[in-house]
Amino acid sequence: SDIKYSFLPSPRIKFNNFIIKDFTDTKKTLAKIKDAEIIISFYNLHDKKKLNYTKIVFKNFEINFNLAKFKEYKNFLSKKAYSNVINLTKGELNFFEGQKNIATVKDVNFKYYSNNNIDHAILKGNLLDDKIYISLKNKKNDEDLSKIIVLKLLDSKLFTKINIFNSKVDQNIVSGNALFKKGKNRLKAIFDYKKDQIFVKESILRNVFLAGKLNGVIKFFPYFSFDLGVDLNSINFYRLYSFVV
């Protein structure tokens, strides 16, 4: 509806009730933002052909992601046609597949920063009545380590860290290692990712009841499924019995 320009505290364009159509289907709405601001650089401010925006801020927003269009979203973002700094506050992220609602993240605060060395995104919110924290770092100048992903469920005290490496053998394969930890339950694993599948190669599984190894395949598309096997080195039957009793 309303579009305004403000010079202080820095040049910026303000939008009210801003709507973004889904580029994969223009009949649907990708996002609704009550308050949106585009901060403009002082440099070349007099020349609209060289105008450059430095930051995007969305407040009070609702974004709808269709997981069936994940690859289209990924290809669009890879064009790098967005600001080096993006802040989203007081919003809601809805994930759905077709007409089916998959999950909703509420009270979202999202920050994205990019320079010549790194892309860094942090998302905080509330998922299933649990506080969620997700951090994604992409190191551009590191030949081996490309991405570091950290996931925390603060109320459930679940911690996950995944390091993703570029394979030097096959460009179609991404390798990495992962740590999943919740209390005394811990899983460390080395894996390969190829064609929407994770191949768990080496792992250490440990908790208060057992110790062993886990291996197998996890598939994500078209549906989530897994075929995993566990080889146990030991079981503490006394603790297991006490827990059951």
Side-chain angles (χ1 to χ4, degrees):
S1 56
D2 297 332
I3 302 176
K4 299 178 181 179
Y5 173 78
S6 175
F7 189 76
L8 296 174
S10 60
R12 63 190 61 204
I13 302 174
K14 299 181 179 180
F15 302 86
N16 294 115
N17 301 317
F18 189 59
I19 294 177
I20 302 175
K21 293 293 184 180
D22 192 332
F23 56 88
T24 64
D25 185 355
T26 55
K27 294 181 180 179
K28 297 182 178 180
T29 299
L30 179 65
K32 295 179 181 179
I33 303 101
K34 186 176 181 181
D35 302 298
E37 292 186 4
I38 297 178
I39 287 79
I40 304 170
S41 172
F42 278 102
Y43 297 101
N44 299 314
L45 193 59
H46 64 285
D47 189 349
K48 66 179 181 179
K49 293 182 180 180
K50 297 181 181 180
L51 210 60
N52 184 31
Y53 53 90
T54 59
K55 186 177 181 179
I56 295 175
V57 179
F58 289 163
K59 297 179 182 178
N60 302 310
F61 65 90
E62 180 182 351
I63 299 177
N64 302 303
F65 285 109
N66 187 350
L67 296 178
K69 303 291 183 65
F70 177 78
K71 291 184 179 180
E72 285 87 343
Y73 295 147
K74 183 179 178 181
N75 292 335
F76 178 80
L77 291 174
S78 66
K79 296 177 182 178
K80 190 60 179 178
Y82 45 87
S83 172
N84 288 335
V85 179
I86 301 175
N87 288 352
L88 287 75
T89 61
K90 299 179 181 179
E92 186 174 286
L93 295 177
N94 299 314
F95 297 92
F96 63 96
E97 190 169 13
Q99 300 297 323
K100 185 178 180 181
N101 184 34
I102 304 298
T104 298
V105 183
K106 298 180 179 180
D107 300 325
V108 171
N109 280 280
F110 174 84
K111 292 184 179 181
Y112 170 82
Y113 171 77
S114 177
N115 58 27
N116 294 329
N117 299 318
I118 193 172
D119 294 323
H120 190 193
I122 297 177
L123 185 147
K124 299 178 182 179
N126 192 305
L127 176 65
L128 300 175
D129 296 324
D130 202 338
K131 294 178 182 178
I132 188 172
Y133 170 93
I134 300 176
S135 170
L136 171 61
K137 289 183 180 180
N138 179 29
K139 295 185 177 181
K140 300 178 181 179
N141 298 328
D142 195 327
E143 295 181 357
D144 297 323
L145 183 60
S146 59
K147 291 180 177 63
I148 303 174
I149 302 170
V150 175
L151 168 64
K152 298 179 183 179
L153 295 177
L154 302 182
D155 295 334
S156 301
K157 298 182 180 180
L158 174 66
F159 175 84
T160 302
K161 184 176 182 180
I162 303 174
N163 299 324
I164 301 175
F165 304 86
N166 295 318
S167 176
K168 297 180 180 180
V169 180
D170 188 345
Q171 294 183 350
N172 296 319
I173 298 177
V174 176
S175 301
N177 58 64
L179 168 64
F180 302 92
K181 184 171 64 172
K182 185 180 188 302
K184 295 183 179 181
N185 302 299
R186 183 180 295 238
L187 172 64
K188 290 183 177 180
I190 298 175
F191 64 88
D192 286 337
Y193 178 79
K194 183 178 181 180
K195 294 182 178 180
D196 299 325
Q197 298 182 80
I198 292 179
F199 299 87
V200 181
K201 300 190 299 183
E202 299 179 26
S203 66
I204 300 175
L205 177 65
R206 188 182 301 276
N207 60 29
V208 295
F209 304 121
L210 56 85
K213 298 180 180 179
L214 181 145
N215 55 66
V217 181
I218 303 173
K219 298 180 181 180
F220 293 99
F221 296 100
Y223 302 102
F224 177 79
S225 63
F226 58 89
D227 183 9
L228 300 172
V230 178
D231 295 327
L232 296 179
N233 297 328
S234 63
I235 300 178
N236 191 322
F237 283 104
Y238 178 77
R239 286 188 175 180
L240 182 60
Y241 170 77
S242 300
F243 175 79
V244 173
V245 172

